[in-house]
Amino acid sequence: MPRTSQPFWVGLALLGFAALFSFLSPHFWSLGNLRSIAEQSSINLIAAVGMTFVVASAGIDLSSGAVVALSGVVMALSLRERWGVGVTIGLGLGTGALIGLANALLVVRARITPFMATLTTMNLIAGATLILTQGIPIYGFSARFAWLGRGSVAGVPVSAAAAAAFTVIGALALRTRLGVYALALGGNEEALRRSGVPADLYKGALYVFSGICASAASVIMTAKLNSAEPLAGTMMEMNAIATVVLGGTRLQGGFASITGTLLAGLLLGVIRNGLVLIGVSSYYQQFVTGAILLTAVLFSEGKR
């Protein structure tokens, strides 16, 4: 299956599962449930937008989940000191950017493979988060901050609006030099270097962008939970990678689809929500999601 057609098939699957769950549960199309799907999908979607660019360059970012946890703790400490919401968000996003920069330096300066570089930072950050909190959640934030995860504007959840904004930013960025060079890095990095492009600069920028997206997802998650959990981002990087690959972005690099990422994120959100509605045990939900992803990957890679 050509990669350019994969978003179409993912969109078709999204419609198919929506029809199936609406048949199995009369509550699927209720406004409350649709709002729940949007809110649940938004956190993964924001992180997946940044991951799309890294994967398109034939890289990987395993530190995203750890970034979510540490950014949440940094914001919680800021709020506990009664610093403003704006300052708090800035500190959270700055944390993601700094970790992204650290990943970039390991990849482009130390020449460590992206897998090992981000695996290392993932463990360092996770450990630092546990040390800062002693494994104890920090909770009880202001209503202004909680609104970012629980509030709405004109009936639209703030979290969904944030996910839509990041999706648009990602789609536009894919058309800029950052996006074009990300695809070129994944397609033929040596050719890009020989053409005089500062490949290391753009490769580093991709990891910084991924870190910012992960910390933005942390803003929504921390506000929604009204708590900073030391293990909040567990498996989030795997969910983001699954969303990106299911959406048609090549793990080998060279092709990316923000539309595919969006549709895949919604598909996974609908599947998880629908399984809950029809009473499927949580033990099976991750298995079903993994089976769908495996089927999509085998089909797309086998036909490529």
Side-chain angles (χ1 to χ4, degrees), residues 176-209:
T176 65
R177 289 185 179 181
L178 181 66
V180 172
Y181 290 156
L183 300 181
L185 284 165
N188 192 329
E189 183 175 341
E190 186 58 31
L192 184 66
R193 292 182 186 279
R194 291 184 178 183
S195 66
V197 173
D200 286 347
L201 176 63
Y202 284 97
K203 182 184 287 189
L206 299 175
Y207 287 93
V208 173
F209 181 56

Side-chain angles (χ1 to χ4, degrees), residues 61-71 73 95-96 98-100 102-103 117-132 230:
D61 186 357
L62 299 178
S63 67
S64 293
V67 170
V68 169
L70 182 58
S71 294
V73 168
T95 299
L98 285 174
I99 296 170
N103 285 331
T118 58
L119 179 64
T120 299
T121 54
M122 176 186 76
N123 283 283
L124 288 172
I125 298 162
T129 304
L130 289 170
I131 291 169
L132 277 173

Side-chain angles (χ1 to χ4, degrees), residues 69-156:
L70 182 58
S71 294
V73 168
V74 168
M75 289 187 290
L77 294 174
S78 170
L79 290 168
R80 195 165 66 178
E81 294 298 321
R82 300 189 182 278
W83 292 351
V85 172
V87 173
T88 295
I89 294 173
L91 287 172
L93 297 179
T95 299
L98 285 174
I99 296 170
L101 180 59
N103 285 331
L105 292 173
L106 289 174
V107 172
V108 304
R109 293 298 183 191
R111 299 298 176 187
I112 300 174
T113 62
F115 180 90
M116 289 306 302
T118 58
L119 179 64
T120 299
T121 54
M122 176 186 76
N123 283 283
L124 288 172
I125 298 162
T129 304
L130 289 170
I131 291 169
L132 277 173
T133 62
Q134 294 297 300
I136 302 172
I138 304 172
Y139 55 88
F141 307 136
S142 66
R144 274 187 71 193
F145 184 76
W147 177 81
L148 295 171
R150 303 178 180 182
S152 62
V153 178
V156 178

Side-chain angles (χ1 to χ4, degrees), residues 33-53:
N33 190 58
L34 292 178
R35 179 189 176 98
S36 178
I37 292 173
E39 290 179 338
Q40 292 169 6
S41 302
S42 62
I43 297 171
N44 177 50
L45 257 175
I46 294 172
V49 168
M51 188 70 74
T52 299
F53 285 80

Side-chain angles (χ1 to χ4, degrees), residues 4-56:
T4 52
S5 68
Q6 189 159 330
F8 169 79
W9 293 108
V10 173
L12 201 61
L14 173 61
L15 294 176
F17 275 102
L20 173 64
F21 289 129
S22 63
F23 174 76
L24 295 175
S25 172
H27 304 293
F28 181 80
W29 287 111
S30 67
L31 287 178
N33 190 58
L34 292 178
R35 179 189 176 98
S36 178
I37 292 173
E39 290 179 338
Q40 292 169 6
S41 302
S42 62
I43 297 171
N44 177 50
L45 257 175
I46 294 172
V49 168
M51 188 70 74
T52 299
F53 285 80
V54 173
V55 173

